Short mmCIF file of all heavy atoms in Angstrom, two decimals:
data_model
loop_
_atom_site.label_atom_id
_atom_site.label_comp_id
_atom_site.label_asym_id
_atom_site.label_seq_id
_atom_site.Cartn_x
_atom_site.Cartn_y
_atom_site.Cartn_z
N MET A 1 -3.07 4.16 18.39
CA MET A 1 -3.81 3.76 17.23
C MET A 1 -4.57 2.47 17.54
O MET A 1 -3.99 1.53 18.06
CB MET A 1 -2.86 3.53 16.05
CG MET A 1 -3.57 2.98 14.85
SD MET A 1 -2.56 2.33 13.49
CE MET A 1 -1.25 3.47 13.31
N GLN A 2 -5.85 2.46 17.23
CA GLN A 2 -6.67 1.27 17.43
C GLN A 2 -6.82 0.55 16.08
O GLN A 2 -7.22 1.15 15.10
CB GLN A 2 -8.05 1.66 17.95
CG GLN A 2 -8.02 2.30 19.31
CD GLN A 2 -7.60 1.30 20.39
OE1 GLN A 2 -7.95 0.13 20.32
NE2 GLN A 2 -6.88 1.77 21.37
N LEU A 3 -6.48 -0.73 16.06
CA LEU A 3 -6.62 -1.51 14.84
C LEU A 3 -7.86 -2.38 14.92
O LEU A 3 -8.11 -3.02 15.94
CB LEU A 3 -5.39 -2.40 14.63
CG LEU A 3 -4.06 -1.68 14.40
CD1 LEU A 3 -2.93 -2.68 14.30
CD2 LEU A 3 -4.12 -0.83 13.16
N THR A 4 -8.61 -2.40 13.85
CA THR A 4 -9.79 -3.27 13.78
C THR A 4 -9.35 -4.65 13.31
O THR A 4 -8.22 -4.84 12.86
CB THR A 4 -10.82 -2.71 12.79
OG1 THR A 4 -10.25 -2.75 11.48
CG2 THR A 4 -11.22 -1.28 13.15
N LYS A 5 -10.28 -5.61 13.41
CA LYS A 5 -9.98 -6.95 12.89
C LYS A 5 -9.69 -6.89 11.40
O LYS A 5 -8.83 -7.60 10.90
CB LYS A 5 -11.14 -7.90 13.18
CG LYS A 5 -11.23 -8.29 14.63
CD LYS A 5 -12.33 -9.30 14.87
CE LYS A 5 -12.41 -9.65 16.36
NZ LYS A 5 -13.40 -10.68 16.62
N ALA A 6 -10.40 -6.02 10.68
CA ALA A 6 -10.16 -5.86 9.25
C ALA A 6 -8.76 -5.32 8.98
O ALA A 6 -8.09 -5.76 8.05
CB ALA A 6 -11.21 -4.93 8.63
N ASP A 7 -8.30 -4.38 9.82
CA ASP A 7 -6.95 -3.84 9.68
C ASP A 7 -5.91 -4.94 9.89
O ASP A 7 -4.95 -5.06 9.13
CB ASP A 7 -6.68 -2.73 10.70
CG ASP A 7 -7.52 -1.49 10.47
OD1 ASP A 7 -7.91 -1.23 9.32
OD2 ASP A 7 -7.79 -0.78 11.46
N LEU A 8 -6.11 -5.74 10.92
CA LEU A 8 -5.17 -6.84 11.20
C LEU A 8 -5.14 -7.85 10.06
O LEU A 8 -4.08 -8.33 9.67
CB LEU A 8 -5.54 -7.52 12.52
CG LEU A 8 -5.34 -6.67 13.77
CD1 LEU A 8 -5.87 -7.41 15.00
CD2 LEU A 8 -3.89 -6.29 13.96
N LYS A 9 -6.32 -8.15 9.52
CA LYS A 9 -6.38 -9.09 8.40
C LYS A 9 -5.62 -8.53 7.20
O LYS A 9 -4.88 -9.25 6.54
CB LYS A 9 -7.84 -9.37 8.02
CG LYS A 9 -7.99 -10.37 6.91
CD LYS A 9 -9.45 -10.66 6.62
CE LYS A 9 -9.56 -11.64 5.45
NZ LYS A 9 -10.95 -11.85 5.06
N MET A 10 -5.80 -7.24 6.93
CA MET A 10 -5.11 -6.61 5.81
C MET A 10 -3.60 -6.64 6.02
O MET A 10 -2.84 -6.97 5.12
CB MET A 10 -5.59 -5.16 5.65
CG MET A 10 -4.87 -4.38 4.58
SD MET A 10 -5.02 -5.06 2.93
CE MET A 10 -6.79 -4.99 2.72
N ILE A 11 -3.15 -6.34 7.23
CA ILE A 11 -1.72 -6.37 7.53
C ILE A 11 -1.16 -7.78 7.34
O ILE A 11 -0.10 -7.97 6.75
CB ILE A 11 -1.44 -5.84 8.95
CG1 ILE A 11 -1.75 -4.35 9.01
CG2 ILE A 11 0.00 -6.12 9.38
CD1 ILE A 11 -1.82 -3.79 10.42
N GLU A 12 -1.89 -8.78 7.85
CA GLU A 12 -1.45 -10.16 7.70
C GLU A 12 -1.36 -10.55 6.23
O GLU A 12 -0.43 -11.23 5.80
CB GLU A 12 -2.40 -11.10 8.43
CG GLU A 12 -2.29 -10.99 9.94
CD GLU A 12 -3.40 -11.76 10.66
OE1 GLU A 12 -4.25 -12.38 10.01
OE2 GLU A 12 -3.40 -11.72 11.90
N THR A 13 -2.34 -10.13 5.44
CA THR A 13 -2.35 -10.45 4.02
C THR A 13 -1.17 -9.81 3.30
O THR A 13 -0.47 -10.46 2.52
CB THR A 13 -3.67 -9.99 3.37
OG1 THR A 13 -4.75 -10.65 4.03
CG2 THR A 13 -3.71 -10.30 1.90
N VAL A 14 -0.93 -8.54 3.58
CA VAL A 14 0.14 -7.82 2.90
C VAL A 14 1.51 -8.32 3.35
O VAL A 14 2.44 -8.42 2.56
CB VAL A 14 0.01 -6.30 3.15
CG1 VAL A 14 1.22 -5.56 2.65
CG2 VAL A 14 -1.24 -5.79 2.48
N ALA A 15 1.63 -8.68 4.62
CA ALA A 15 2.91 -9.11 5.16
C ALA A 15 3.19 -10.59 4.91
O ALA A 15 4.25 -11.09 5.24
CB ALA A 15 2.97 -8.84 6.66
N SER A 16 2.25 -11.28 4.29
CA SER A 16 2.39 -12.71 4.05
C SER A 16 3.64 -13.00 3.23
O SER A 16 3.99 -12.27 2.31
CB SER A 16 1.15 -13.22 3.29
OG SER A 16 1.35 -14.54 2.88
N THR A 17 4.30 -14.07 3.57
CA THR A 17 5.50 -14.46 2.83
C THR A 17 5.14 -15.16 1.52
O THR A 17 5.97 -15.30 0.64
CB THR A 17 6.39 -15.41 3.66
OG1 THR A 17 5.63 -16.55 4.04
CG2 THR A 17 6.94 -14.69 4.87
N THR A 18 3.91 -15.62 1.40
CA THR A 18 3.46 -16.23 0.17
C THR A 18 2.58 -15.22 -0.57
O THR A 18 1.38 -15.14 -0.35
CB THR A 18 2.65 -17.52 0.44
OG1 THR A 18 1.57 -17.19 1.32
CG2 THR A 18 3.50 -18.59 1.08
N GLY A 19 3.21 -14.42 -1.39
CA GLY A 19 2.50 -13.35 -2.08
C GLY A 19 1.54 -13.87 -3.12
O GLY A 19 1.70 -14.98 -3.65
N ALA A 20 0.54 -13.09 -3.40
CA ALA A 20 -0.42 -13.43 -4.44
C ALA A 20 0.16 -13.09 -5.80
O ALA A 20 0.99 -12.18 -5.93
CB ALA A 20 -1.71 -12.65 -4.20
N LYS A 21 -0.28 -13.84 -6.82
CA LYS A 21 0.14 -13.50 -8.18
C LYS A 21 -0.52 -12.18 -8.54
O LYS A 21 -1.69 -11.96 -8.27
CB LYS A 21 -0.29 -14.59 -9.16
CG LYS A 21 0.47 -15.88 -8.97
CD LYS A 21 0.09 -16.89 -10.02
CE LYS A 21 0.89 -18.16 -9.82
NZ LYS A 21 0.56 -19.17 -10.83
N ARG A 22 0.25 -11.31 -9.15
CA ARG A 22 -0.27 -9.99 -9.47
C ARG A 22 0.01 -9.64 -10.92
O ARG A 22 1.04 -10.03 -11.46
CB ARG A 22 0.38 -8.93 -8.57
CG ARG A 22 0.04 -9.10 -7.14
CD ARG A 22 0.59 -7.92 -6.33
NE ARG A 22 0.11 -8.02 -4.98
CZ ARG A 22 0.88 -8.34 -3.94
NH1 ARG A 22 2.16 -8.57 -4.11
NH2 ARG A 22 0.37 -8.42 -2.73
N LYS A 23 -0.90 -8.90 -11.49
CA LYS A 23 -0.67 -8.32 -12.80
C LYS A 23 0.00 -6.98 -12.59
O LYS A 23 -0.11 -6.38 -11.52
CB LYS A 23 -2.00 -8.12 -13.53
CG LYS A 23 -2.69 -9.43 -13.87
CD LYS A 23 -3.98 -9.16 -14.61
CE LYS A 23 -4.65 -10.48 -14.94
NZ LYS A 23 -5.91 -10.28 -15.66
N ALA A 24 0.69 -6.50 -13.60
CA ALA A 24 1.33 -5.19 -13.51
C ALA A 24 0.25 -4.13 -13.35
O ALA A 24 -0.86 -4.28 -13.81
CB ALA A 24 2.16 -4.93 -14.77
N ARG A 25 0.60 -3.06 -12.66
CA ARG A 25 -0.35 -1.97 -12.49
C ARG A 25 0.31 -0.65 -12.87
O ARG A 25 1.51 -0.49 -12.78
CB ARG A 25 -0.88 -1.93 -11.07
CG ARG A 25 0.17 -1.72 -10.02
CD ARG A 25 -0.49 -1.71 -8.64
NE ARG A 25 0.50 -1.93 -7.63
CZ ARG A 25 0.46 -2.90 -6.72
NH1 ARG A 25 -0.54 -3.74 -6.71
NH2 ARG A 25 1.39 -3.02 -5.83
N THR A 26 -0.52 0.26 -13.25
CA THR A 26 -0.06 1.58 -13.64
C THR A 26 -0.42 2.55 -12.52
O THR A 26 -1.52 2.51 -12.00
CB THR A 26 -0.74 2.03 -14.94
OG1 THR A 26 -0.44 1.09 -15.96
CG2 THR A 26 -0.25 3.40 -15.37
N ILE A 27 0.52 3.41 -12.18
CA ILE A 27 0.28 4.43 -11.17
C ILE A 27 0.20 5.76 -11.90
O ILE A 27 1.11 6.14 -12.63
CB ILE A 27 1.41 4.47 -10.13
CG1 ILE A 27 1.53 3.13 -9.43
CG2 ILE A 27 1.18 5.59 -9.12
CD1 ILE A 27 2.73 3.01 -8.53
N SER A 28 -0.91 6.46 -11.72
CA SER A 28 -1.12 7.72 -12.42
C SER A 28 -0.73 8.91 -11.55
O SER A 28 -1.57 9.71 -11.15
CB SER A 28 -2.59 7.83 -12.85
OG SER A 28 -2.90 6.81 -13.74
N LEU A 29 0.54 9.01 -11.25
CA LEU A 29 1.06 10.15 -10.52
C LEU A 29 1.97 10.92 -11.46
O LEU A 29 2.64 10.33 -12.31
CB LEU A 29 1.89 9.70 -9.31
CG LEU A 29 1.19 8.90 -8.22
CD1 LEU A 29 2.21 8.44 -7.19
CD2 LEU A 29 0.10 9.72 -7.56
N ASP A 30 2.01 12.23 -11.30
CA ASP A 30 3.00 12.96 -12.08
C ASP A 30 4.38 12.72 -11.44
O ASP A 30 4.49 12.14 -10.36
CB ASP A 30 2.65 14.45 -12.20
CG ASP A 30 2.64 15.21 -10.88
OD1 ASP A 30 3.40 14.85 -9.95
OD2 ASP A 30 1.87 16.17 -10.77
N ASP A 31 5.42 13.14 -12.12
CA ASP A 31 6.78 12.86 -11.64
C ASP A 31 7.02 13.39 -10.23
O ASP A 31 7.63 12.71 -9.41
CB ASP A 31 7.83 13.45 -12.60
CG ASP A 31 7.89 12.71 -13.92
OD1 ASP A 31 7.39 11.57 -13.99
OD2 ASP A 31 8.43 13.28 -14.89
N GLU A 32 6.54 14.60 -9.96
CA GLU A 32 6.76 15.20 -8.64
C GLU A 32 6.06 14.38 -7.54
O GLU A 32 6.64 14.12 -6.49
CB GLU A 32 6.24 16.64 -8.63
CG GLU A 32 6.49 17.36 -7.32
CD GLU A 32 5.97 18.79 -7.33
OE1 GLU A 32 5.82 19.37 -8.42
OE2 GLU A 32 5.72 19.31 -6.24
N GLN A 33 4.82 13.96 -7.80
CA GLN A 33 4.08 13.17 -6.82
C GLN A 33 4.76 11.82 -6.59
O GLN A 33 4.90 11.37 -5.45
CB GLN A 33 2.65 12.92 -7.30
CG GLN A 33 1.78 14.15 -7.30
CD GLN A 33 0.46 13.89 -8.00
OE1 GLN A 33 0.40 13.20 -9.01
NE2 GLN A 33 -0.60 14.45 -7.44
N TYR A 34 5.20 11.19 -7.67
CA TYR A 34 5.84 9.88 -7.57
C TYR A 34 7.13 9.98 -6.77
O TYR A 34 7.38 9.17 -5.88
CB TYR A 34 6.13 9.31 -8.96
CG TYR A 34 6.76 7.95 -8.92
CD1 TYR A 34 6.02 6.82 -8.59
CD2 TYR A 34 8.11 7.79 -9.18
CE1 TYR A 34 6.61 5.57 -8.53
CE2 TYR A 34 8.71 6.54 -9.14
CZ TYR A 34 7.95 5.44 -8.82
OH TYR A 34 8.53 4.20 -8.76
N GLU A 35 7.94 10.98 -7.05
CA GLU A 35 9.20 11.15 -6.33
C GLU A 35 8.94 11.44 -4.85
O GLU A 35 9.65 10.92 -3.98
CB GLU A 35 10.03 12.26 -6.97
CG GLU A 35 10.60 11.85 -8.31
CD GLU A 35 11.24 12.99 -9.08
OE1 GLU A 35 11.44 14.08 -8.50
OE2 GLU A 35 11.54 12.79 -10.27
N LYS A 36 7.94 12.27 -4.56
CA LYS A 36 7.60 12.59 -3.17
C LYS A 36 7.14 11.32 -2.44
O LYS A 36 7.54 11.07 -1.30
CB LYS A 36 6.49 13.65 -3.15
CG LYS A 36 6.13 14.15 -1.77
CD LYS A 36 5.09 15.26 -1.86
CE LYS A 36 4.71 15.76 -0.48
NZ LYS A 36 3.71 16.84 -0.55
N PHE A 37 6.30 10.52 -3.09
CA PHE A 37 5.82 9.26 -2.51
C PHE A 37 6.99 8.31 -2.25
O PHE A 37 7.11 7.75 -1.16
CB PHE A 37 4.80 8.61 -3.45
CG PHE A 37 4.38 7.24 -3.05
CD1 PHE A 37 3.62 7.03 -1.90
CD2 PHE A 37 4.74 6.14 -3.80
CE1 PHE A 37 3.22 5.76 -1.52
CE2 PHE A 37 4.35 4.86 -3.43
CZ PHE A 37 3.59 4.67 -2.29
N GLN A 38 7.86 8.13 -3.22
CA GLN A 38 9.01 7.25 -3.08
C GLN A 38 9.93 7.72 -1.95
O GLN A 38 10.40 6.92 -1.15
CB GLN A 38 9.81 7.16 -4.39
CG GLN A 38 9.09 6.43 -5.49
CD GLN A 38 9.06 4.94 -5.28
OE1 GLN A 38 8.59 4.45 -4.25
NE2 GLN A 38 9.52 4.20 -6.24
N LYS A 39 10.18 9.03 -1.89
CA LYS A 39 11.06 9.57 -0.85
C LYS A 39 10.45 9.37 0.53
O LYS A 39 11.13 8.96 1.46
CB LYS A 39 11.34 11.05 -1.10
CG LYS A 39 12.27 11.66 -0.06
CD LYS A 39 12.67 13.06 -0.38
CE LYS A 39 13.59 13.71 0.62
NZ LYS A 39 13.83 13.10 1.88
N TYR A 40 9.15 9.65 0.65
CA TYR A 40 8.48 9.46 1.95
C TYR A 40 8.59 8.00 2.39
O TYR A 40 8.94 7.73 3.54
CB TYR A 40 7.01 9.89 1.88
CG TYR A 40 6.31 9.67 3.19
CD1 TYR A 40 6.41 10.59 4.22
CD2 TYR A 40 5.59 8.50 3.43
CE1 TYR A 40 5.79 10.38 5.44
CE2 TYR A 40 4.97 8.28 4.65
CZ TYR A 40 5.08 9.22 5.65
OH TYR A 40 4.48 8.99 6.86
N CYS A 41 8.29 7.09 1.50
CA CYS A 41 8.36 5.67 1.85
C CYS A 41 9.78 5.28 2.26
O CYS A 41 9.97 4.59 3.25
CB CYS A 41 7.89 4.80 0.67
SG CYS A 41 6.10 4.90 0.38
N GLN A 42 10.75 5.73 1.50
CA GLN A 42 12.15 5.42 1.82
C GLN A 42 12.53 5.98 3.18
O GLN A 42 13.16 5.29 3.99
CB GLN A 42 13.06 5.97 0.73
CG GLN A 42 14.52 5.62 0.93
CD GLN A 42 15.38 6.16 -0.19
OE1 GLN A 42 14.96 6.99 -0.99
NE2 GLN A 42 16.61 5.69 -0.25
N ASP A 43 12.16 7.24 3.44
CA ASP A 43 12.50 7.87 4.72
C ASP A 43 11.86 7.14 5.90
O ASP A 43 12.42 7.12 7.00
CB ASP A 43 12.04 9.34 4.74
CG ASP A 43 12.85 10.23 3.81
OD1 ASP A 43 13.91 9.79 3.32
OD2 ASP A 43 12.39 11.37 3.56
N GLN A 44 10.68 6.56 5.68
CA GLN A 44 9.97 5.85 6.75
C GLN A 44 10.33 4.37 6.81
O GLN A 44 9.82 3.63 7.65
CB GLN A 44 8.45 5.99 6.55
CG GLN A 44 7.96 7.42 6.57
CD GLN A 44 8.27 8.12 7.88
OE1 GLN A 44 8.06 7.58 8.96
NE2 GLN A 44 8.79 9.34 7.79
N GLY A 45 11.18 3.91 5.90
CA GLY A 45 11.55 2.50 5.85
C GLY A 45 10.42 1.61 5.36
O GLY A 45 10.30 0.46 5.79
N LEU A 46 9.61 2.14 4.47
CA LEU A 46 8.45 1.41 3.95
C LEU A 46 8.69 0.96 2.52
O LEU A 46 9.34 1.67 1.74
CB LEU A 46 7.21 2.30 3.98
CG LEU A 46 6.81 2.88 5.34
CD1 LEU A 46 5.71 3.90 5.16
CD2 LEU A 46 6.37 1.76 6.27
N ALA A 47 8.14 -0.18 2.17
CA ALA A 47 8.17 -0.65 0.79
C ALA A 47 6.98 -0.01 0.07
O ALA A 47 5.83 -0.26 0.42
CB ALA A 47 8.08 -2.17 0.74
N SER A 48 7.27 0.82 -0.92
CA SER A 48 6.20 1.58 -1.58
C SER A 48 5.14 0.67 -2.20
O SER A 48 3.96 0.99 -2.15
CB SER A 48 6.79 2.52 -2.63
OG SER A 48 7.53 1.80 -3.58
N ASN A 49 5.53 -0.47 -2.75
CA ASN A 49 4.53 -1.36 -3.33
C ASN A 49 3.59 -1.93 -2.27
O ASN A 49 2.39 -2.09 -2.51
CB ASN A 49 5.19 -2.49 -4.13
CG ASN A 49 6.07 -3.37 -3.27
OD1 ASN A 49 6.74 -2.89 -2.36
ND2 ASN A 49 6.09 -4.65 -3.56
N LYS A 50 4.09 -2.16 -1.09
CA LYS A 50 3.23 -2.68 -0.02
C LYS A 50 2.30 -1.59 0.53
O LYS A 50 1.18 -1.87 0.92
CB LYS A 50 4.07 -3.30 1.09
CG LYS A 50 4.81 -4.53 0.59
CD LYS A 50 5.04 -5.52 1.65
CE LYS A 50 5.80 -6.70 1.07
NZ LYS A 50 5.10 -7.92 1.27
N VAL A 51 2.77 -0.34 0.53
CA VAL A 51 1.91 0.77 0.92
C VAL A 51 0.72 0.84 -0.04
O VAL A 51 -0.43 0.95 0.38
CB VAL A 51 2.68 2.11 0.93
CG1 VAL A 51 1.74 3.29 1.11
CG2 VAL A 51 3.74 2.10 2.02
N LEU A 52 1.00 0.72 -1.33
CA LEU A 52 -0.08 0.74 -2.32
C LEU A 52 -1.01 -0.44 -2.14
O LEU A 52 -2.23 -0.29 -2.25
CB LEU A 52 0.50 0.74 -3.73
CG LEU A 52 1.27 2.01 -4.12
CD1 LEU A 52 1.93 1.83 -5.47
CD2 LEU A 52 0.37 3.22 -4.10
N ASP A 53 -0.47 -1.62 -1.85
CA ASP A 53 -1.31 -2.80 -1.61
C ASP A 53 -2.28 -2.56 -0.46
O ASP A 53 -3.46 -2.90 -0.55
CB ASP A 53 -0.45 -4.03 -1.30
CG ASP A 53 0.34 -4.53 -2.49
OD1 ASP A 53 0.03 -4.14 -3.63
OD2 ASP A 53 1.27 -5.33 -2.28
N VAL A 54 -1.80 -1.99 0.63
CA VAL A 54 -2.65 -1.73 1.79
C VAL A 54 -3.73 -0.71 1.44
O VAL A 54 -4.90 -0.88 1.77
CB VAL A 54 -1.82 -1.26 3.01
CG1 VAL A 54 -2.72 -0.75 4.12
CG2 VAL A 54 -0.95 -2.39 3.52
N LEU A 55 -3.35 0.36 0.77
CA LEU A 55 -4.32 1.39 0.41
C LEU A 55 -5.41 0.84 -0.51
O LEU A 55 -6.59 1.12 -0.33
CB LEU A 55 -3.62 2.58 -0.24
CG LEU A 55 -2.70 3.38 0.67
CD1 LEU A 55 -1.92 4.41 -0.12
CD2 LEU A 55 -3.48 4.02 1.79
N ILE A 56 -5.01 0.04 -1.48
CA ILE A 56 -6.00 -0.57 -2.38
C ILE A 56 -6.91 -1.51 -1.61
O ILE A 56 -8.13 -1.50 -1.78
CB ILE A 56 -5.28 -1.29 -3.55
CG1 ILE A 56 -4.60 -0.27 -4.46
CG2 ILE A 56 -6.27 -2.16 -4.34
CD1 ILE A 56 -3.62 -0.87 -5.45
N GLY A 57 -6.33 -2.31 -0.74
CA GLY A 57 -7.13 -3.24 0.06
C GLY A 57 -8.11 -2.51 0.97
O GLY A 57 -9.28 -2.91 1.08
N LEU A 58 -7.68 -1.43 1.61
CA LEU A 58 -8.57 -0.65 2.47
C LEU A 58 -9.69 -0.01 1.65
O LEU A 58 -10.84 0.05 2.09
CB LEU A 58 -7.78 0.42 3.23
CG LEU A 58 -6.85 -0.12 4.32
CD1 LEU A 58 -5.98 1.01 4.87
CD2 LEU A 58 -7.62 -0.80 5.42
N PHE A 59 -9.36 0.47 0.47
CA PHE A 59 -10.37 1.04 -0.41
C PHE A 59 -11.43 -0.01 -0.77
O PHE A 59 -12.63 0.25 -0.72
CB PHE A 59 -9.72 1.60 -1.68
CG PHE A 59 -10.72 2.02 -2.73
CD1 PHE A 59 -11.38 3.23 -2.61
CD2 PHE A 59 -11.00 1.21 -3.80
CE1 PHE A 59 -12.31 3.62 -3.57
CE2 PHE A 59 -11.93 1.58 -4.76
CZ PHE A 59 -12.58 2.79 -4.64
N LEU A 60 -10.99 -1.20 -1.14
CA LEU A 60 -11.92 -2.26 -1.51
C LEU A 60 -12.79 -2.67 -0.33
O LEU A 60 -13.99 -2.92 -0.49
CB LEU A 60 -11.18 -3.47 -2.07
CG LEU A 60 -10.50 -3.24 -3.42
CD1 LEU A 60 -9.64 -4.44 -3.80
CD2 LEU A 60 -11.54 -2.95 -4.50
N GLN A 61 -12.21 -2.73 0.86
CA GLN A 61 -13.00 -3.07 2.05
C GLN A 61 -14.05 -2.00 2.32
O GLN A 61 -15.18 -2.29 2.66
CB GLN A 61 -12.10 -3.23 3.27
CG GLN A 61 -11.36 -4.52 3.31
CD GLN A 61 -10.51 -4.64 4.57
OE1 GLN A 61 -10.34 -3.69 5.32
NE2 GLN A 61 -9.97 -5.82 4.79
N ALA A 62 -13.67 -0.75 2.16
CA ALA A 62 -14.61 0.36 2.40
C ALA A 62 -15.73 0.37 1.38
O ALA A 62 -16.85 0.78 1.67
CB ALA A 62 -13.88 1.69 2.40
N ALA A 63 -15.45 -0.11 0.17
CA ALA A 63 -16.44 -0.10 -0.90
C ALA A 63 -17.45 -1.24 -0.76
O ALA A 63 -18.49 -1.21 -1.39
CB ALA A 63 -15.74 -0.16 -2.25
N GLU A 64 -17.12 -2.22 0.04
CA GLU A 64 -18.04 -3.38 0.20
C GLU A 64 -19.24 -3.04 1.03
O GLU A 64 -19.30 -2.26 1.87
CB GLU A 64 -17.29 -4.55 0.85
CG GLU A 64 -16.26 -5.13 -0.07
CD GLU A 64 -15.50 -6.29 0.57
OE1 GLU A 64 -15.59 -6.51 1.80
OE2 GLU A 64 -14.80 -6.98 -0.17
#
């Protein structure tokens, strides 16, 4: 896997020990999708909230 500078910046931001203040967010998944997502993250040893943070960040970078 090749990581770009933008990827590294996103990883550093998400992995930062000084988290940003966040407002609550709503996830629009049905129960089956949510459970599948949670199970996948758990099986991979991933924090589901951080997975969402990375995906949102990548989306915003792509939209710029």
Side-chain angles (χ1 to χ4, degrees):
M1 174 192 318
Q2 296 292 324
L3 296 176
T4 65
K5 287 184 181 183
D7 294 333
L8 292 174
K9 182 178 178 185
M10 176 61 60
I11 292 167
E12 289 171 0
T13 300
V14 171
S16 171
T17 57
T18 56
K21 291 184 179 181
R22 295 187 173 108
K23 294 181 180 180
R25 60 181 162 235
T26 302
I27 300 172
S28 298
L29 298 174
D30 64 30
D31 289 342
E32 183 180 337
Q33 291 170 321
Y34 181 74
E35 289 171 11
K36 185 176 180 180
F37 173 68
Q38 291 286 56
K39 181 173 180 348
Y40 178 82
C41 289
Q42 184 178 13
D43 290 347
Q44 300 300 314
L46 302 171
S48 58
N49 61 323
K50 295 210 181 236
V51 171
L52 293 174
D53 290 345
V54 170
L55 293 172
I56 292 167
L58 290 172
F59 171 79
L60 292 173
Q61 283 182 350
E64 291 180 347

